[in-house]
Amino acid sequence: MIVKPKKDNKGRYFIRVYKGVGNRPYKLLEEEAGTLTYQEAKKQAETWYASLSSETLTTDTRLTLSAIFKLYLRGKSTSMSQQSKSTTLLYSKKFIDYFGDIAVETLTPRSIEGYKEKRIADRAGKATPANATINREISILKAAISECHRQGDIPYNPLPSRSVKRLPNHMNTDYFQREEFEAFINVFSQTELILEDVKQNHKIYNSATFKEEYLFNMERAADIFRILLLTNSRLGEILNLKWQAVSLKTKKIVITQFKTASKKYQDIPDELFSILQRLQKSTPDNGGFVLTRYDKKPFSTDQVERSFKKGLLLSHINRHLTPHALRHTASSWMVAAGVSLYTVGATAGHKNIASTQRYAHLAPSTLTVALTLLSSPAKEISATNGKEDISKIDLTSLNGVA
């Protein structure tokens, strides 16, 4: 066999033997780059190869996908949120389901392209998994591999930076028109319409307890959807909202943003205050969660999404919308009303202005106004440089829905 030393990303010579299926023994030939010439490295490599036993050449001791994810999570045990850990485990299972628990070093950019194609095929006409989701899955895999390589757990990184192209991130920013949202939200208070639907689609319609529970949960779902709009928040943030983060006395609310590991602080407008006040009076003993089901337990994401789909069906809205569309609705309505992108981004809790700029096309033309300011007295130009006071933004004035 011809033995050819190579250099790793630190410029050090190493040798890897390709022997059998999935078997690649490895040896680092120098601790620091530049201490060996190529000929010296080659001589050491040949000596090392000659010393390998047949057992060494048939035993694969390389780290597998499951192993590198375990090491990655162990290293991030104190800095990673529980939700991020759960997401990482979920994504690791997807990779293992596709590749098998293979040695990480056998991965290639081309094999990742195959994974992307499989995930895209999984959509089968559905909206999920979105390109952004697939990109996140691959980013977590690359992060785990990169961290294990940095820690010396694997000899080299099979997926170096920029070796895998990201899928185009086509943001779905579809949102409710005002009359659509009014029709949608009013459906949840139409008891006869809901019960008629239950009668047609549920086998246990004659159960009085079931009817009471179903109607209660539909009413609470409507509250969830209103709060999502009025706070410009994500579904998980509102389902996990607890009373300790709400002060009806000072009309302040603190919303934990799990996606960005941050918090956003908002004033409570009148409509939201009425909803929260009613919820606090009707369900005072609920384990701390603001929004709970008939059985006093917190809502699951799946249950809320089912209620949302039912609302779309009963209000005859034939568009692909999800609860997250309410976040797009809040941002879109504010931008269309002339609220600056800076302020919209602040109410949404965006960390990157690029996230807010996708709503820019909805803004009324401001070029004429901006040029007019140049001919106006300087004192008329706002001292805030066009940045509204966030505390004065009232989403209830934008939606017109009581």
Side-chain angles (χ1 to χ4, degrees), residues 195-225:
L195 288 179
E196 180 61 29
D197 177 75
V198 171
K199 184 177 181 180
Q200 295 178 10
N201 296 288
H202 294 273
K203 296 180 180 179
I204 54 175
Y205 169 75
N206 292 325
S207 168
T209 302
F210 173 79
K211 290 180 184 178
E212 181 181 355
E213 178 179 349
Y214 191 87
L215 289 173
F216 180 93
N217 290 340
M218 287 291 278
E219 180 183 340
R220 281 292 178 270
D223 290 330
I224 292 172
F225 302 142

PDB file of all heavy atoms in Angstrom, residues 195-225:
ATOM      1  N   LEU A 195     -71.457  23.416  17.996  1.00  0.00           N
ATOM      2  CA  LEU A 195     -72.081  22.160  18.398  1.00  0.00           C
ATOM      3  C   LEU A 195     -72.581  21.368  17.192  1.00  0.00           C
ATOM      4  O   LEU A 195     -72.566  20.128  17.203  1.00  0.00           O
ATOM      5  CB  LEU A 195     -73.231  22.430  19.369  1.00  0.00           C
ATOM      6  CG  LEU A 195     -72.821  22.884  20.772  1.00  0.00           C
ATOM      7  CD1 LEU A 195     -74.044  23.135  21.630  1.00  0.00           C
ATOM      8  CD2 LEU A 195     -71.911  21.850  21.432  1.00  0.00           C
ATOM      9  N   GLU A 196     -73.029  22.059  16.162  1.00  0.00           N
ATOM     10  CA  GLU A 196     -73.459  21.360  14.946  1.00  0.00           C
ATOM     11  C   GLU A 196     -72.263  20.670  14.299  1.00  0.00           C
ATOM     12  O   GLU A 196     -72.375  19.534  13.808  1.00  0.00           O
ATOM     13  CB  GLU A 196     -74.090  22.352  13.975  1.00  0.00           C
ATOM     14  CG  GLU A 196     -74.574  21.733  12.676  1.00  0.00           C
ATOM     15  CD  GLU A 196     -75.647  20.681  12.886  1.00  0.00           C
ATOM     16  OE1 GLU A 196     -76.407  20.778  13.877  1.00  0.00           O
ATOM     17  OE2 GLU A 196     -75.718  19.736  12.056  1.00  0.00           O
ATOM     18  N   ASP A 197     -71.120  21.336  14.314  1.00  0.00           N
ATOM     19  CA  ASP A 197     -69.902  20.721  13.775  1.00  0.00           C
ATOM     20  C   ASP A 197     -69.490  19.528  14.627  1.00  0.00           C
ATOM     21  O   ASP A 197     -69.064  18.500  14.098  1.00  0.00           O
ATOM     22  CB  ASP A 197     -68.770  21.758  13.737  1.00  0.00           C
ATOM     23  CG  ASP A 197     -67.460  21.168  13.249  1.00  0.00           C
ATOM     24  OD1 ASP A 197     -67.328  20.935  12.029  1.00  0.00           O
ATOM     25  OD2 ASP A 197     -66.577  20.911  14.094  1.00  0.00           O
ATOM     26  N   VAL A 198     -69.617  19.668  15.941  1.00  0.00           N
ATOM     27  CA  VAL A 198     -69.283  18.564  16.851  1.00  0.00           C
ATOM     28  C   VAL A 198     -70.203  17.373  16.577  1.00  0.00           C
ATOM     29  O   VAL A 198     -69.761  16.214  16.549  1.00  0.00           O
ATOM     30  CB  VAL A 198     -69.416  19.013  18.319  1.00  0.00           C
ATOM     31  CG1 VAL A 198     -69.290  17.813  19.250  1.00  0.00           C
ATOM     32  CG2 VAL A 198     -68.349  20.044  18.656  1.00  0.00           C
ATOM     33  N   LYS A 199     -71.473  17.649  16.376  1.00  0.00           N
ATOM     34  CA  LYS A 199     -72.447  16.593  16.127  1.00  0.00           C
ATOM     35  C   LYS A 199     -72.086  15.780  14.883  1.00  0.00           C
ATOM     36  O   LYS A 199     -72.266  14.563  14.848  1.00  0.00           O
ATOM     37  CB  LYS A 199     -73.828  17.207  15.969  1.00  0.00           C
ATOM     38  CG  LYS A 199     -74.945  16.188  15.803  1.00  0.00           C
ATOM     39  CD  LYS A 199     -76.288  16.872  15.723  1.00  0.00           C
ATOM     40  CE  LYS A 199     -77.434  15.857  15.578  1.00  0.00           C
ATOM     41  NZ  LYS A 199     -78.752  16.534  15.506  1.00  0.00           N
ATOM     42  N   GLN A 200     -71.554  16.452  13.878  1.00  0.00           N
ATOM     43  CA  GLN A 200     -71.218  15.789  12.623  1.00  0.00           C
ATOM     44  C   GLN A 200     -69.882  15.059  12.659  1.00  0.00           C
ATOM     45  O   GLN A 200     -69.673  14.116  11.901  1.00  0.00           O
ATOM     46  CB  GLN A 200     -71.210  16.813  11.487  1.00  0.00           C
ATOM     47  CG  GLN A 200     -72.562  17.435  11.196  1.00  0.00           C
ATOM     48  CD  GLN A 200     -72.494  18.476  10.093  1.00  0.00           C
ATOM     49  OE1 GLN A 200     -71.476  18.616   9.421  1.00  0.00           O
ATOM     50  NE2 GLN A 200     -73.578  19.215   9.910  1.00  0.00           N
ATOM     51  N   ASN A 201     -68.997  15.499  13.555  1.00  0.00           N
ATOM     52  CA  ASN A 201     -67.620  14.989  13.495  1.00  0.00           C
ATOM     53  C   ASN A 201     -67.132  14.278  14.748  1.00  0.00           C
ATOM     54  O   ASN A 201     -66.000  13.813  14.793  1.00  0.00           O
ATOM     55  CB  ASN A 201     -66.659  16.152  13.188  1.00  0.00           C
ATOM     56  CG  ASN A 201     -66.921  16.755  11.822  1.00  0.00           C
ATOM     57  OD1 ASN A 201     -66.619  16.155  10.798  1.00  0.00           O
ATOM     58  ND2 ASN A 201     -67.499  17.957  11.800  1.00  0.00           N
ATOM     59  N   HIS A 202     -67.968  14.191  15.780  1.00  0.00           N
ATOM     60  CA  HIS A 202     -67.543  13.529  17.020  1.00  0.00           C
ATOM     61  C   HIS A 202     -68.564  12.483  17.438  1.00  0.00           C
ATOM     62  O   HIS A 202     -69.777  12.742  17.437  1.00  0.00           O
ATOM     63  CB  HIS A 202     -67.350  14.556  18.145  1.00  0.00           C
ATOM     64  CG  HIS A 202     -66.220  15.516  17.885  1.00  0.00           C
ATOM     65  ND1 HIS A 202     -64.916  15.247  18.231  1.00  0.00           N
ATOM     66  CD2 HIS A 202     -66.208  16.732  17.283  1.00  0.00           C
ATOM     67  CE1 HIS A 202     -64.150  16.254  17.864  1.00  0.00           C
ATOM     68  NE2 HIS A 202     -64.906  17.170  17.280  1.00  0.00           N
ATOM     69  N   LYS A 203     -68.081  11.314  17.817  1.00  0.00           N
ATOM     70  CA  LYS A 203     -68.957  10.202  18.175  1.00  0.00           C
ATOM     71  C   LYS A 203     -69.614  10.376  19.538  1.00  0.00           C
ATOM     72  O   LYS A 203     -70.641   9.777  19.818  1.00  0.00           O
ATOM     73  CB  LYS A 203     -68.174   8.892  18.138  1.00  0.00           C
ATOM     74  CG  LYS A 203     -67.671   8.521  16.742  1.00  0.00           C
ATOM     75  CD  LYS A 203     -66.902   7.208  16.778  1.00  0.00           C
ATOM     76  CE  LYS A 203     -66.407   6.830  15.388  1.00  0.00           C
ATOM     77  NZ  LYS A 203     -65.638   5.557  15.394  1.00  0.00           N
ATOM     78  N   ILE A 204     -68.995  11.176  20.412  1.00  0.00           N
ATOM     79  CA  ILE A 204     -69.524  11.294  21.775  1.00  0.00           C
ATOM     80  C   ILE A 204     -70.274  12.611  21.961  1.00  0.00           C
ATOM     81  O   ILE A 204     -70.235  13.242  23.006  1.00  0.00           O
ATOM     82  CB  ILE A 204     -68.392  11.165  22.820  1.00  0.00           C
ATOM     83  CG1 ILE A 204     -67.264  12.175  22.529  1.00  0.00           C
ATOM     84  CG2 ILE A 204     -67.842   9.766  22.848  1.00  0.00           C
ATOM     85  CD1 ILE A 204     -66.198  12.178  23.593  1.00  0.00           C
ATOM     86  N   TYR A 205     -70.975  13.016  20.930  1.00  0.00           N
ATOM     87  CA  TYR A 205     -71.687  14.294  20.951  1.00  0.00           C
ATOM     88  C   TYR A 205     -72.706  14.371  22.085  1.00  0.00           C
ATOM     89  O   TYR A 205     -72.918  15.424  22.665  1.00  0.00           O
ATOM     90  CB  TYR A 205     -72.384  14.508  19.600  1.00  0.00           C
ATOM     91  CG  TYR A 205     -73.350  15.660  19.599  1.00  0.00           C
ATOM     92  CD1 TYR A 205     -72.885  16.970  19.575  1.00  0.00           C
ATOM     93  CD2 TYR A 205     -74.732  15.440  19.641  1.00  0.00           C
ATOM     94  CE1 TYR A 205     -73.765  18.032  19.584  1.00  0.00           C
ATOM     95  CE2 TYR A 205     -75.621  16.498  19.650  1.00  0.00           C
ATOM     96  CZ  TYR A 205     -75.135  17.796  19.622  1.00  0.00           C
ATOM     97  OH  TYR A 205     -75.995  18.852  19.633  1.00  0.00           O
ATOM     98  N   ASN A 206     -73.366  13.256  22.389  1.00  0.00           N
ATOM     99  CA  ASN A 206     -74.442  13.274  23.378  1.00  0.00           C
ATOM    100  C   ASN A 206     -73.966  13.424  24.813  1.00  0.00           C
ATOM    101  O   ASN A 206     -74.769  13.527  25.737  1.00  0.00           O
ATOM    102  CB  ASN A 206     -75.288  12.006  23.247  1.00  0.00           C
ATOM    103  CG  ASN A 206     -76.074  11.991  21.946  1.00  0.00           C
ATOM    104  OD1 ASN A 206     -76.522  13.043  21.492  1.00  0.00           O
ATOM    105  ND2 ASN A 206     -76.232  10.812  21.350  1.00  0.00           N
ATOM    106  N   SER A 207     -72.665  13.418  25.022  1.00  0.00           N
ATOM    107  CA  SER A 207     -72.136  13.597  26.371  1.00  0.00           C
ATOM    108  C   SER A 207     -72.164  15.072  26.749  1.00  0.00           C
ATOM    109  O   SER A 207     -71.532  15.913  26.102  1.00  0.00           O
ATOM    110  CB  SER A 207     -70.704  13.070  26.451  1.00  0.00           C
ATOM    111  OG  SER A 207     -70.082  13.482  27.639  1.00  0.00           O
ATOM    112  N   ALA A 208     -72.909  15.401  27.796  1.00  0.00           N
ATOM    113  CA  ALA A 208     -73.015  16.793  28.244  1.00  0.00           C
ATOM    114  C   ALA A 208     -71.665  17.328  28.706  1.00  0.00           C
ATOM    115  O   ALA A 208     -71.325  18.489  28.466  1.00  0.00           O
ATOM    116  CB  ALA A 208     -74.042  16.894  29.376  1.00  0.00           C
ATOM    117  N   THR A 209     -70.926  16.455  29.375  1.00  0.00           N
ATOM    118  CA  THR A 209     -69.598  16.865  29.852  1.00  0.00           C
ATOM    119  C   THR A 209     -68.675  17.181  28.690  1.00  0.00           C
ATOM    120  O   THR A 209     -67.925  18.158  28.724  1.00  0.00           O
ATOM    121  CB  THR A 209     -68.976  15.755  30.721  1.00  0.00           C
ATOM    122  OG1 THR A 209     -69.836  15.477  31.817  1.00  0.00           O
ATOM    123  CG2 THR A 209     -67.609  16.189  31.243  1.00  0.00           C
ATOM    124  N   PHE A 210     -68.742  16.351  27.655  1.00  0.00           N
ATOM    125  CA  PHE A 210     -67.903  16.586  26.478  1.00  0.00           C
ATOM    126  C   PHE A 210     -68.240  17.921  25.828  1.00  0.00           C
ATOM    127  O   PHE A 210     -67.352  18.681  25.449  1.00  0.00           O
ATOM    128  CB  PHE A 210     -68.085  15.454  25.466  1.00  0.00           C
ATOM    129  CG  PHE A 210     -67.385  15.709  24.159  1.00  0.00           C
ATOM    130  CD1 PHE A 210     -66.014  15.501  24.035  1.00  0.00           C
ATOM    131  CD2 PHE A 210     -68.086  16.188  23.059  1.00  0.00           C
ATOM    132  CE1 PHE A 210     -65.360  15.752  22.839  1.00  0.00           C
ATOM    133  CE2 PHE A 210     -67.442  16.437  21.861  1.00  0.00           C
ATOM    134  CZ  PHE A 210     -66.083  16.222  21.753  1.00  0.00           C
ATOM    135  N   LYS A 211     -69.546  18.212  25.691  1.00  0.00           N
ATOM    136  CA  LYS A 211     -69.969  19.476  25.083  1.00  0.00           C
ATOM    137  C   LYS A 211     -69.445  20.662  25.888  1.00  0.00           C
ATOM    138  O   LYS A 211     -68.913  21.630  25.326  1.00  0.00           O
ATOM    139  CB  LYS A 211     -71.496  19.543  25.015  1.00  0.00           C
ATOM    140  CG  LYS A 211     -72.130  18.596  24.025  1.00  0.00           C
ATOM    141  CD  LYS A 211     -73.648  18.771  24.061  1.00  0.00           C
ATOM    142  CE  LYS A 211     -74.349  17.777  23.153  1.00  0.00           C
ATOM    143  NZ  LYS A 211     -75.825  17.910  23.208  1.00  0.00           N
ATOM    144  N   GLU A 212     -69.609  20.582  27.192  1.00  0.00           N
ATOM    145  CA  GLU A 212     -69.171  21.671  28.068  1.00  0.00           C
ATOM    146  C   GLU A 212     -67.653  21.885  27.949  1.00  0.00           C
ATOM    147  O   GLU A 212     -67.171  23.011  27.841  1.00  0.00           O
ATOM    148  CB  GLU A 212     -69.554  21.363  29.515  1.00  0.00           C
ATOM    149  CG  GLU A 212     -69.150  22.462  30.498  1.00  0.00           C
ATOM    150  CD  GLU A 212     -69.531  22.111  31.928  1.00  0.00           C
ATOM    151  OE1 GLU A 212     -70.181  21.064  32.137  1.00  0.00           O
ATOM    152  OE2 GLU A 212     -69.164  22.885  32.833  1.00  0.00           O
ATOM    153  N   GLU A 213     -66.917  20.779  27.966  1.00  0.00           N
ATOM    154  CA  GLU A 213     -65.459  20.858  27.868  1.00  0.00           C
ATOM    155  C   GLU A 213     -65.032  21.405  26.503  1.00  0.00           C
ATOM    156  O   GLU A 213     -64.155  22.268  26.421  1.00  0.00           O
ATOM    157  CB  GLU A 213     -64.857  19.470  28.082  1.00  0.00           C
ATOM    158  CG  GLU A 213     -63.328  19.433  27.957  1.00  0.00           C
ATOM    159  CD  GLU A 213     -62.767  18.049  28.191  1.00  0.00           C
ATOM    160  OE1 GLU A 213     -63.515  17.167  28.649  1.00  0.00           O
ATOM    161  OE2 GLU A 213     -61.562  17.846  27.913  1.00  0.00           O
ATOM    162  N   TYR A 214     -65.676  20.923  25.455  1.00  0.00           N
ATOM    163  CA  TYR A 214     -65.309  21.344  24.104  1.00  0.00           C
ATOM    164  C   TYR A 214     -65.550  22.845  23.910  1.00  0.00           C
ATOM    165  O   TYR A 214     -64.700  23.560  23.379  1.00  0.00           O
ATOM    166  CB  TYR A 214     -66.112  20.544  23.086  1.00  0.00           C
ATOM    167  CG  TYR A 214     -65.627  20.699  21.662  1.00  0.00           C
ATOM    168  CD1 TYR A 214     -64.626  19.878  21.158  1.00  0.00           C
ATOM    169  CD2 TYR A 214     -66.177  21.665  20.823  1.00  0.00           C
ATOM    170  CE1 TYR A 214     -64.177  20.011  19.849  1.00  0.00           C
ATOM    171  CE2 TYR A 214     -65.737  21.816  19.519  1.00  0.00           C
ATOM    172  CZ  TYR A 214     -64.740  20.983  19.031  1.00  0.00           C
ATOM    173  OH  TYR A 214     -64.301  21.135  17.748  1.00  0.00           O
ATOM    174  N   LEU A 215     -66.722  23.319  24.349  1.00  0.00           N
ATOM    175  CA  LEU A 215     -67.049  24.737  24.207  1.00  0.00           C
ATOM    176  C   LEU A 215     -66.113  25.611  25.037  1.00  0.00           C
ATOM    177  O   LEU A 215     -65.693  26.689  24.603  1.00  0.00           O
ATOM    178  CB  LEU A 215     -68.500  24.979  24.622  1.00  0.00           C
ATOM    179  CG  LEU A 215     -69.566  24.428  23.668  1.00  0.00           C
ATOM    180  CD1 LEU A 215     -70.957  24.572  24.284  1.00  0.00           C
ATOM    181  CD2 LEU A 215     -69.508  25.163  22.322  1.00  0.00           C
ATOM    182  N   PHE A 216     -65.781  25.138  26.252  1.00  0.00           N
ATOM    183  CA  PHE A 216     -64.860  25.890  27.112  1.00  0.00           C
ATOM    184  C   PHE A 216     -63.503  26.035  26.434  1.00  0.00           C
ATOM    185  O   PHE A 216     -62.926  27.134  26.390  1.00  0.00           O
ATOM    186  CB  PHE A 216     -64.710  25.177  28.455  1.00  0.00           C
ATOM    187  CG  PHE A 216     -63.778  25.862  29.414  1.00  0.00           C
ATOM    188  CD1 PHE A 216     -64.260  26.766  30.354  1.00  0.00           C
ATOM    189  CD2 PHE A 216     -62.404  25.618  29.375  1.00  0.00           C
ATOM    190  CE1 PHE A 216     -63.388  27.418  31.234  1.00  0.00           C
ATOM    191  CE2 PHE A 216     -61.535  26.262  30.252  1.00  0.00           C
ATOM    192  CZ  PHE A 216     -62.034  27.162  31.182  1.00  0.00           C
ATOM    193  N   ASN A 217     -62.979  24.932  25.906  1.00  0.00           N
ATOM    194  CA  ASN A 217     -61.654  24.955  25.283  1.00  0.00           C
ATOM    195  C   ASN A 217     -61.637  25.791  24.003  1.00  0.00           C
ATOM    196  O   ASN A 217     -60.629  26.433  23.688  1.00  0.00           O
ATOM    197  CB  ASN A 217     -61.190  23.530  24.988  1.00  0.00           C
ATOM    198  CG  ASN A 217     -60.854  22.758  26.254  1.00  0.00           C
ATOM    199  OD1 ASN A 217     -60.611  23.346  27.309  1.00  0.00           O
ATOM    200  ND2 ASN A 217     -60.846  21.433  26.160  1.00  0.00           N
ATOM    201  N   MET A 218     -62.744  25.794  23.264  1.00  0.00           N
ATOM    202  CA  MET A 218     -62.821  26.640  22.077  1.00  0.00           C
ATOM    203  C   MET A 218     -62.817  28.119  22.459  1.00  0.00           C
ATOM    204  O   MET A 218     -62.184  28.955  21.799  1.00  0.00           O
ATOM    205  CB  MET A 218     -64.075  26.301  21.269  1.00  0.00           C
ATOM    206  CG  MET A 218     -63.994  24.980  20.525  1.00  0.00           C
ATOM    207  SD  MET A 218     -62.808  25.004  19.144  1.00  0.00           S
ATOM    208  CE  MET A 218     -63.810  25.777  17.872  1.00  0.00           C
ATOM    209  N   GLU A 219     -63.506  28.443  23.551  1.00  0.00           N
ATOM    210  CA  GLU A 219     -63.517  29.829  24.027  1.00  0.00           C
ATOM    211  C   GLU A 219     -62.117  30.257  24.463  1.00  0.00           C
ATOM    212  O   GLU A 219     -61.664  31.368  24.161  1.00  0.00           O
ATOM    213  CB  GLU A 219     -64.494  29.968  25.199  1.00  0.00           C
ATOM    214  CG  GLU A 219     -64.572  31.385  25.759  1.00  0.00           C
ATOM    215  CD  GLU A 219     -65.485  31.481  26.967  1.00  0.00           C
ATOM    216  OE1 GLU A 219     -66.333  30.583  27.140  1.00  0.00           O
ATOM    217  OE2 GLU A 219     -65.347  32.448  27.751  1.00  0.00           O
ATOM    218  N   ARG A 220     -61.411  29.352  25.142  1.00  0.00           N
ATOM    219  CA  ARG A 220     -60.049  29.670  25.571  1.00  0.00           C
ATOM    220  C   ARG A 220     -59.112  29.784  24.358  1.00  0.00           C
ATOM    221  O   ARG A 220     -58.194  30.585  24.350  1.00  0.00           O
ATOM    222  CB  ARG A 220     -59.530  28.589  26.515  1.00  0.00           C
ATOM    223  CG  ARG A 220     -60.046  28.703  27.916  1.00  0.00           C
ATOM    224  CD  ARG A 220     -59.497  29.957  28.607  1.00  0.00           C
ATOM    225  NE  ARG A 220     -60.046  30.078  29.945  1.00  0.00           N
ATOM    226  CZ  ARG A 220     -61.161  30.727  30.233  1.00  0.00           C
ATOM    227  NH1 ARG A 220     -61.861  31.313  29.271  1.00  0.00           N
ATOM    228  NH2 ARG A 220     -61.608  30.801  31.468  1.00  0.00           N
ATOM    229  N   ALA A 221     -59.352  28.965  23.346  1.00  0.00           N
ATOM    230  CA  ALA A 221     -58.537  29.052  22.136  1.00  0.00           C
ATOM    231  C   ALA A 221     -58.677  30.431  21.503  1.00  0.00           C
ATOM    232  O   ALA A 221     -57.693  31.026  21.037  1.00  0.00           O
ATOM    233  CB  ALA A 221     -58.946  27.971  21.139  1.00  0.00           C
ATOM    234  N   ALA A 222     -59.889  30.966  21.517  1.00  0.00           N
ATOM    235  CA  ALA A 222     -60.103  32.320  20.988  1.00  0.00           C
ATOM    236  C   ALA A 222     -59.288  33.341  21.786  1.00  0.00           C
ATOM    237  O   ALA A 222     -58.727  34.283  21.218  1.00  0.00           O
ATOM    238  CB  ALA A 222     -61.590  32.668  21.025  1.00  0.00           C
ATOM    239  N   ASP A 223     -59.226  33.144  23.106  1.00  0.00           N
ATOM    240  CA  ASP A 223     -58.406  34.039  23.937  1.00  0.00           C
ATOM    241  C   ASP A 223     -56.930  33.937  23.559  1.00  0.00           C
ATOM    242  O   ASP A 223     -56.217  34.950  23.502  1.00  0.00           O
ATOM    243  CB  ASP A 223     -58.579  33.687  25.424  1.00  0.00           C
ATOM    244  CG  ASP A 223     -59.958  34.038  25.947  1.00  0.00           C
ATOM    245  OD1 ASP A 223     -60.560  35.011  25.434  1.00  0.00           O
ATOM    246  OD2 ASP A 223     -60.447  33.339  26.852  1.00  0.00           O
ATOM    247  N   ILE A 224     -56.484  32.723  23.308  1.00  0.00           N
ATOM    248  CA  ILE A 224     -55.091  32.520  22.889  1.00  0.00           C
ATOM    249  C   ILE A 224     -54.816  33.291  21.601  1.00  0.00           C
ATOM    250  O   ILE A 224     -53.799  33.992  21.487  1.00  0.00           O
ATOM    251  CB  ILE A 224     -54.794  31.027  22.686  1.00  0.00           C
ATOM    252  CG1 ILE A 224     -54.835  30.288  24.021  1.00  0.00           C
ATOM    253  CG2 ILE A 224     -53.423  30.826  22.021  1.00  0.00           C
ATOM    254  CD1 ILE A 224     -54.744  28.776  23.902  1.00  0.00           C
ATOM    255  N   PHE A 225     -55.719  33.195  20.645  1.00  0.00           N
ATOM    256  CA  PHE A 225     -55.498  33.843  19.356  1.00  0.00           C
ATOM    257  C   PHE A 225     -55.527  35.362  19.479  1.00  0.00           C
ATOM    258  O   PHE A 225     -54.754  36.062  18.818  1.00  0.00           O
ATOM    259  CB  PHE A 225     -56.550  33.359  18.347  1.00  0.00           C
ATOM    260  CG  PHE A 225     -56.547  31.863  18.158  1.00  0.00           C
ATOM    261  CD1 PHE A 225     -57.731  31.160  17.985  1.00  0.00           C
ATOM    262  CD2 PHE A 225     -55.357  31.142  18.186  1.00  0.00           C
ATOM    263  CE1 PHE A 225     -57.727  29.783  17.830  1.00  0.00           C
ATOM    264  CE2 PHE A 225     -55.340  29.757  18.037  1.00  0.00           C
ATOM    265  CZ  PHE A 225     -56.536  29.083  17.859  1.00  0.00           C
TER     266      PHE A 225
END
